[in-house]
């Protein structure tokens, strides 16, 4: 009866279940002593969601503003506006590493706590074994796909509830088998039960994986000679659960007790009594038994009532839920939240803020982008994929970890250098970068320094008749500078054409002999790609069509024509695709800079080419024996390299976990740009984290429209934008 009441008041409403179980976990010590308080909370939740039919959270997102949550974080943001019908927006963990935000028992300490017991009992699902999903029922999406059935999550969930109701009426308990569940589905839909059972069991087999924390604890206790029992409230047959445990590396336990086999459950206490009977065996004295599990009601509350000692292993989803974005819908959203929560909150390791920055907010983007790049390249007959330095450094790593059929390369390509080389065919872009930007940004740079940046330093004496080279660039003297450039344009072209010739030796290695190449960059207007296209068409003549793929295009509409024509393509958003994300991102210019934090590289910026008598960071030109070129690099930025390495490790780890988890489901690799951007958007809701951990991040060159001369650190850039 108690179980039936719990099903009705808690389990049948997902909002109630989610909030009530979190409340119980956070107040577990008072759960038995002050049970009436929990009943009052449950009544309030039912009144809120069932009677009033509210769609906004009651206990947490609405009420946590200004309250201290796990790890001391204030949940919510008083400065943010409430969205209609959504309660207060969730925020990421802003104080540092999320994996350090909650109470943590290291695995070796867990072993010390458990090793002196005669018997250790483990819950299985969400304790020993994880599914890479936000909620257990989301597994039914995959089953429904195998069965070609719409709305299968609801069909399957409702069938199980009906089967349990009928079982309780007939036999006085609610423990059902998977066969009984699919008999209900058969009566409703006509689905062959054996086909349905086979599909669900195979899905469980493919998706379930060992919890690394509990695997360590289990193996160590086993090596110490501890008797281990496994106990689970589960509809799956014991034989399959045994196979699943073996697949996940669990062996050597003494007994496995599954509720549907035993026709009793942890929830009614009888499965724990059975555990005690098995553990007693022929012993004269009662063994000391401790049960380990994640459910506060059954694994803790009921186990204690049955005389067992307990250890509450906090559910990873419950721990991670306060900080997870809900804006990624469907299967990809469930996969993202499941992987993140399981990885950061299983307790096996703790990470630092930079690793988690990459894992949490850059992982889904880079993995989804790699999949998108490969799909696009295959569909459009690309023979090669070239990732532009430096932003393409980590992108190439993720791509190469997934694909080998379309070869990739790392292309040293300077946007600035390319603009210089393409100046004779696109003077507008050249002047915008080298003249107008300085004026617009009101930079403290002299006209002579402007020419130095253009690699025209030797022409400074010729500027004197037009304007004093020592003057700071301004709107007043810009016309004189432009007249000088126009009068000396033929001379300027000759200087740059020498660079073009030398650069052709390098780029020929990648483009010559190839008909179609995809050049990948992070963004924003595709200047590097378009410059390469112009140089190939008007000067090099390699016979190669160059198509651009950008992570995103923002904040302007300057390249809309190229986007519409397919010369440039994007993944996350652009002025013609995924407009809601484009508008959000484009509101604040600094967002471009922040996105580039994922794409740093542990190497200096590439600055350009020059003729060389010896090989210097490049290679001899294969077409002209005895000639070589030099690759010119900017000043190294070693202060950032350790941070970049940690970010990239987080990105790589997420990509690998996602790839392995869904290796049998290739459709899970179709991650939309919208879904990939949502974790990034989540961290952009509040800049506190970035200000705190990236304030000293250094920039040597122009970034995001901000000159490195005046903005050497991220803190300087925030100050410039008054954020």
């Amino acid at each position: 009866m108690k179980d039936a009441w719990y099903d009705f008041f808690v389990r049948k409403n997902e909002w109630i279940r989610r909030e009530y179980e979190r409340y119980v976990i956070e107040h577990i010590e008072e759960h038995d002593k002050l049970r009436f308080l929990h009943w009052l909370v449950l009544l309030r939740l039912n009144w809120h969601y069932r009677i009033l039919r509210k769609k906004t959270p009651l206990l947490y997102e609405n009420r946590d503003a200004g309250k201290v949550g796990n790890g001391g974080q204030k949940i919510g943001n008083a400065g943010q506006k409430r969205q209609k019908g959504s309660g207060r927006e969730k925020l990421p963990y802003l104080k540092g590493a999320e994996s350090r935000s909650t109470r943590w028992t290291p695995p070796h300490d867990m072993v010390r706590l458990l090793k002196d017991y005669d018997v250790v009992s483990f819950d299985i699902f969400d304790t020993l074994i994880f599914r890479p999903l936000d909620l257990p029922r989301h597994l039914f999406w995959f089953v429904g796909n195998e069965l070609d059935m719409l709305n299968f999550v609801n069909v399957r969930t409702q069938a199980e509830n009906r089967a349990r109701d009928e079982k309780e009426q007939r036999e006085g308990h609610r423990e059902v088998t998977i066969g009984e569940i699919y008999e209900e589905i058969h009566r409703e839909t006509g689905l062959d039960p054996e086909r349905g059972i086979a599909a669900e069991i195979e899905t469980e087999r493919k998706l379930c994986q060992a919890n690394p924390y509990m695997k360590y604890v289990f193996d160590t206790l086993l090596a110490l000679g501890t008797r281990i029992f496994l106990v689970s409230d589960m509809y799956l047959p014991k034989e399959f659960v045994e196979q699943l445990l073996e697949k996940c590396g669990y062996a050597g336990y003494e007994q496995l007790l599954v509720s549907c086999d035993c026709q009793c459950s942890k929830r009614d206490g009888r499965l724990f009594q059975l555990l005690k009977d098995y553990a007693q065996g022929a012993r004269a004295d009662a063994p000391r038994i401790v049960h380990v599990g994640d459910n506060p009601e059954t694994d803790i509350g009921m186990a204690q009532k049955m005389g067992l000692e307990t250890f509450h292993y906090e559910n990873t989803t419950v721990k991670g839920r306060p900080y997870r974005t809900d804006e990624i819908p469907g299967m990809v959203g469930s996969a993202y939240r499941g992987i993140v929560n399981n990885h950061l909150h299983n307790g096996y390791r703790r990470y630092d803020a930079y690793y988690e920055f990459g894992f949490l907010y850059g992982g889904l983007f880079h993995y989804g982008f790699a999949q998108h790049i490969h799909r696009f390249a295959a569909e459009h007959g690309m023979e090669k994929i070239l990732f532009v330095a430096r932003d393409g450094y980590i992108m190439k790593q993720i791509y190469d970890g997934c694909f080998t059929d379309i070869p990739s390369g790392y292309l040293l390509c300077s946007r600035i250098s390319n603009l210089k080389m393409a100046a004779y065919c696109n003077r507008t872009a050249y002047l915008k970068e080298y003249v107008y930007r300085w004026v617009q940004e009101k930079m403290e740079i002299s006209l002579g320094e402007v020419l130095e940046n253009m690699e025209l330093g030797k022409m400074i004496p010729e500027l004197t008749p037009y304007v004093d080279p020592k003057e700071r660039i301004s709107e007043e003297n810009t016309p004189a500078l432009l007249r000088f450039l126009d009068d000396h344009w033929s001379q300027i072209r000759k200087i740059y054409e020498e660079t073009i010739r030398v650069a052709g030796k390098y780029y020929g290695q990648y483009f010559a002999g190839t008909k179609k190449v995809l050049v990948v960059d992070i963004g924003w207007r595709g200047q590097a790609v378009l410059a390469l296209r112009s140089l190939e068409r008007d000067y090099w003549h390699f016979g190669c069509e160059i198509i651009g793929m950008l992570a995103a295009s923002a904040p302007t509409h300057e390249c809309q024509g190229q986007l519409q024509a397919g010369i440039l393509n994007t993944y996350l958003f652009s002025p013609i695709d995924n407009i809601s994300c484009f508008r959000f991102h484009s509101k604040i210019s600094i967002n471009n800079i922040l996105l580039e934090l994922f794409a740093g590289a542990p190497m200096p910026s590439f600055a350009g080419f020059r003729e060389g008598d010896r090989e210097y960071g490049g290679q001899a030109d294969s077409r002209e024996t005895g000639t070589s070129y030099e690759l010119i690099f900017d000043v190294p930025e070693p202060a950032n390299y350790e941070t970049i390495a940690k970010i990239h490790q987080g990105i790589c780890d997420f990509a690998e976990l996602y790839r392995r988890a869904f290796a049998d489901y290739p459709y899970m690799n179709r991650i939309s740009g919208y879904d990939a951007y949502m974790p990034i958007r989540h961290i952009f809701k509040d800049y506190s984290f970035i200000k705190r951990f990236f304030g000293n991040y250094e920039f040597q060159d122009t970034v995001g429209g901000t000159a490195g001369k005046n903005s050497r650190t991220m803190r300087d850039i925030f100050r410039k934008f008054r954020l």
Side-chain angles (χ1 to χ4, degrees):
M1 180 59 71
K2 179 183 175 183
D3 196 50
W5 280 105
Y6 192 87
D7 273 342
F8 179 81
F9 284 105
V10 180
R11 294 198 193 100
K12 287 190 175 183
N13 187 295
E14 181 57 25
W15 283 96
I16 296 174
R17 186 198 66 77
R18 190 180 295 176
E19 293 211 68
Y20 183 68
E21 289 186 356
R22 178 180 171 187
Y23 178 86
V24 170
I25 287 172
E26 294 180 357
H27 300 81
I28 193 64
E29 293 182 358
E30 70 181 36
H31 191 55
D32 286 326
K33 299 177 183 177
L34 301 170
R35 183 64 65 89
F36 70 94
L37 293 177
H38 290 216
W39 292 345
L40 291 174
V41 169
L42 190 56
L43 286 172
R44 286 181 59 210
L45 288 167
N46 275 270
W47 179 266
H48 183 76
Y49 289 110
R50 293 179 183 271
I51 306 301
L52 301 180
R53 299 182 181 276
K54 297 286 188 179
K55 300 297 183 182
T56 56
L58 175 65
L59 296 181
Y60 292 101
E61 285 86 354
N62 278 349
R63 295 179 54 194
D64 281 348
K67 292 187 177 182
V68 177
N70 292 335
Q73 181 207 359
K74 288 185 178 179
I75 304 171
N77 186 341
Q80 290 183 317
K81 293 182 179 179
R82 182 178 299 180
Q83 294 183 345
K84 290 183 179 180
S86 65
R88 190 167 298 276
E89 282 187 299
K90 288 184 177 180
L91 286 176
Y93 186 70
L94 300 172
K95 287 186 172 290
E98 187 182 316
S99 60
R100 300 172 181 267
S101 66
T102 56
R103 180 174 62 87
W104 181 57
T105 304
H108 52 274
D109 286 347
M110 177 72 136
V111 172
R112 291 192 184 99
L113 290 171
L114 301 178
K115 67 182 180 62
D116 293 330
Y117 288 90
D118 299 312
V119 173
V120 178
S121 165
F122 288 99
D123 172 48
I124 297 176
F125 293 92
D126 297 324
T127 302
L128 293 183
I129 291 175
F130 286 154
R131 302 176 179 99
L133 301 169
D134 187 21
L135 296 172
R137 70 172 182 272
H138 292 169
L139 179 135
F140 303 145
W141 271 321
F142 296 85
V143 181
N145 286 346
E146 292 297 312
L147 300 174
D148 294 322
M149 293 186 67
L150 295 174
N151 198 31
F152 189 74
V153 173
N154 287 340
V155 170
R156 170 63 175 77
T157 303
Q158 292 167 8
E160 182 176 340
N161 290 335
R162 289 197 304 273
R164 292 187 184 278
D165 291 342
E166 292 174 9
K167 199 64 169 289
E168 186 174 32
Q169 291 176 4
R170 291 196 315 269
E171 302 180 20
H173 65 84
R174 297 181 60 81
E175 300 312 306
V176 298
T177 66
I178 192 170
E180 290 168 330
I181 294 170
Y182 275 90
E183 284 296 334
E184 282 291 329
I185 295 175
H186 172 70
R187 283 194 285 272
E188 181 182 351
T189 68
L191 174 70
D192 178 14
E194 290 187 5
R195 179 169 170 248
I197 293 168
E200 182 165 332
I201 283 178
E202 186 60 21
T203 302
E204 291 274 17
R205 191 192 318 274
K206 289 177 178 177
L207 289 180
C208 285
Q209 51 200 230
N211 174 358
Y213 179 97
M214 283 300 173
K215 184 68 168 56
Y216 174 90
V217 173
F218 179 98
D219 289 345
T220 308
L221 288 174
L222 203 64
L224 293 172
T226 304
R227 297 174 66 195
I228 295 178
F229 284 67
L230 308 183
V231 183
S232 179
D233 283 349
M234 177 49 65
Y235 44 77
L236 294 169
K238 179 180 178 180
E239 294 77 13
F240 173 69
V241 178
E242 288 174 337
Q243 296 171 17
L244 198 58
L245 288 163
E246 183 180 2
K247 178 244 183 183
C248 293
Y250 293 104
Y253 50 88
E254 189 168 325
Q255 187 65 258
L256 167 64
L257 303 176
V258 181
S259 63
C260 70
D261 258 31
C262 301
Q263 294 296 285
C264 59
S265 67
K266 292 185 291 183
R267 187 165 296 280
D268 63 24
R270 291 188 294 156
L271 201 60
F272 288 124
Q273 184 58 54
L274 197 59
L275 164 67
K276 291 167 68 176
D277 294 341
Y278 276 113
Q280 178 73 45
R283 287 175 59 122
D285 59 329
R288 284 187 70 203
I289 306 173
V290 61
H291 179 69
V292 181
D294 72 294
N295 189 297
E297 283 284 331
T298 58
D299 291 312
I300 307 303
M302 185 53 72
Q304 290 175 354
K305 283 188 176 181
M306 296 302 296
L308 305 183
E309 295 184 58
T310 62
F311 186 93
H312 184 221
Y313 178 73
E314 295 180 82
N315 184 281
T316 58
T317 295
V318 173
K319 287 201 288 185
R321 181 176 290 131
Y323 317 117
R324 250 5 19 93
T325 176
D326 294 323
E327 295 177 287
I328 312 175
M331 299 173 76
V332 170
S334 180
Y336 168 75
R337 291 185 289 273
I339 289 171
V340 167
N341 291 337
N342 289 343
H343 185 67
L344 296 188
H345 293 289
N346 66 58
Y348 190 57
R349 287 197 182 99
R350 289 189 158 189
Y351 305 95
D352 71 11
Y354 302 108
Y355 173 93
E356 290 190 7
F357 180 74
F359 188 91
L360 277 163
Y361 311 114
L364 189 67
F365 156 45
H366 282 85
Y367 184 79
F369 193 26
Q371 299 294 327
H372 178 81
I373 290 166
H374 184 264
R375 262 193 322 274
F376 182 94
E379 291 170 0
H380 292 82
M382 301 295 168
E383 299 175 29
K384 192 181 295 181
I385 299 171
L386 299 177
F387 294 86
V388 173
R390 295 182 296 176
D391 295 336
Y393 180 81
I394 183 61
M395 298 177 195
K396 185 178 186 302
Q397 289 187 52
I398 303 301
Y399 175 88
D400 289 347
C402 299
F403 306 105
T404 57
D405 56 326
I406 304 177
S408 73
Y410 187 61
L411 191 69
L412 293 174
C413 184
S414 165
R415 175 177 59 89
I416 303 301
S417 178
N418 284 0
L419 280 173
K420 294 171 186 173
M421 291 190 292
Y424 72 95
C425 58
N426 190 357
R427 195 187 303 191
T428 301
Y430 169 82
L431 293 177
K432 180 175 180 177
E433 182 66 35
Y434 282 101
V435 178
Y436 299 124
R437 180 177 61 82
W438 301 110
V439 179
Q440 184 182 359
E441 297 289 331
K442 299 180 179 179
M443 295 300 173
E444 296 180 4
I445 184 172
S446 71
L447 295 169
E449 289 174 316
V450 171
L451 292 186
E452 290 281 3
N453 275 278
M454 292 174 160
E455 296 181 7
L456 303 176
K458 62 183 180 182
M459 297 178 67
I460 291 176
E462 299 176 55
L463 178 62
T464 304
Y466 293 82
V467 66
D468 185 354
K470 296 180 181 179
E471 283 188 24
R472 175 181 169 181
I473 192 169
S474 64
E475 292 183 4
E476 289 74 22
N477 57 31
T478 296
L481 177 62
L482 293 174
R483 283 197 304 274
F484 166 78
L485 295 173
D486 188 61
D487 292 345
H488 295 77
W489 193 248
S490 60
Q491 185 179 347
I492 294 170
R493 281 192 58 176
K494 286 181 181 178
I495 294 172
Y496 289 158
E497 282 177 354
E498 178 63 19
T499 304
I500 294 171
R501 186 184 65 80
V502 176
K505 300 175 183 181
Y506 172 80
Y507 289 119
Q509 303 170 86
Y510 296 94
F511 297 117
T514 307
K515 293 182 179 179
K516 212 168 185 180
V517 172
L518 186 67
V519 176
V520 182
D521 199 0
I522 193 165
W524 299 96
R525 299 190 293 270
Q527 293 163 301
V529 175
L530 296 176
L532 287 172
R533 282 178 58 91
S534 298
L535 290 165
E536 151 59 23
R537 181 190 64 236
D538 299 329
Y539 196 95
W540 293 327
H541 307 298
F542 294 134
C544 177
E545 182 182 5
I546 300 171
I547 301 296
M549 174 63 71
L550 308 179
S553 174
T556 70
H557 291 72
E558 293 177 34
C559 60
Q560 186 161 337
Q562 288 81 5
L563 290 165
Q564 193 68 45
I567 297 168
L568 296 176
N569 303 270
T570 58
Y571 174 54
L572 295 178
F573 52 78
S574 76
I576 65 171
D577 187 45
N578 206 0
I579 301 299
S580 63
C581 293
F582 172 78
R583 288 172 178 166
F584 172 88
H585 188 92
S586 302
K587 284 180 181 177
I588 304 177
S589 301
I590 199 174
N591 285 347
N592 286 2
I593 304 171
L594 300 184
L595 189 59
E596 293 181 20
L597 288 174
F598 298 113
M603 61 187 66
S605 296
F606 176 64
F609 307 90
R610 63 171 170 247
E611 192 83 56
D613 296 326
R614 60 183 176 85
E615 191 173 348
Y616 181 79
Q619 64 184 44
D621 180 43
S622 59
R623 296 171 298 159
E624 295 183 43
T625 306
T627 64
S628 61
Y629 53 83
E630 293 182 3
L631 305 177
I632 307 168
F633 293 90
D634 206 337
V635 179
E637 305 155 313
N640 296 338
Y641 292 169
E642 184 178 354
T643 297
I644 290 169
K646 291 176 179 179
I647 294 171
H648 287 182
Q649 188 60 58
I651 292 171
C652 289
D653 284 359
F654 179 93
E656 181 59 19
L657 286 171
Y658 192 104
R659 187 190 65 80
R660 289 206 315 252
F662 301 105
D664 294 309
Y665 299 95
Y667 56 77
M668 288 297 291
N669 293 330
R670 301 189 70 87
I671 301 168
S672 71
Y674 175 91
D675 289 349
Y677 184 67
M678 285 301 104
I680 301 170
R681 175 170 174 162
H682 195 51
I683 193 64
F684 286 1
K685 289 177 179 177
D686 190 310
Y687 294 135
S688 306
F689 178 92
I690 295 170
K691 287 180 180 179
R692 179 176 179 181
F693 291 96
F694 290 93
N696 294 325
Y697 194 91
E698 294 183 1
F699 299 102
Q700 291 285 355
D701 205 350
T702 300
V703 59
T706 303
K709 181 174 180 179
N710 292 347
S711 301
R712 297 297 298 269
T713 68
M714 181 65 75
R715 188 172 290 107
D716 294 331
I717 293 174
F718 272 107
R719 198 177 292 119
K720 172 183 173 62
F721 285 97
R722 299 180 180 179
L723 293 172

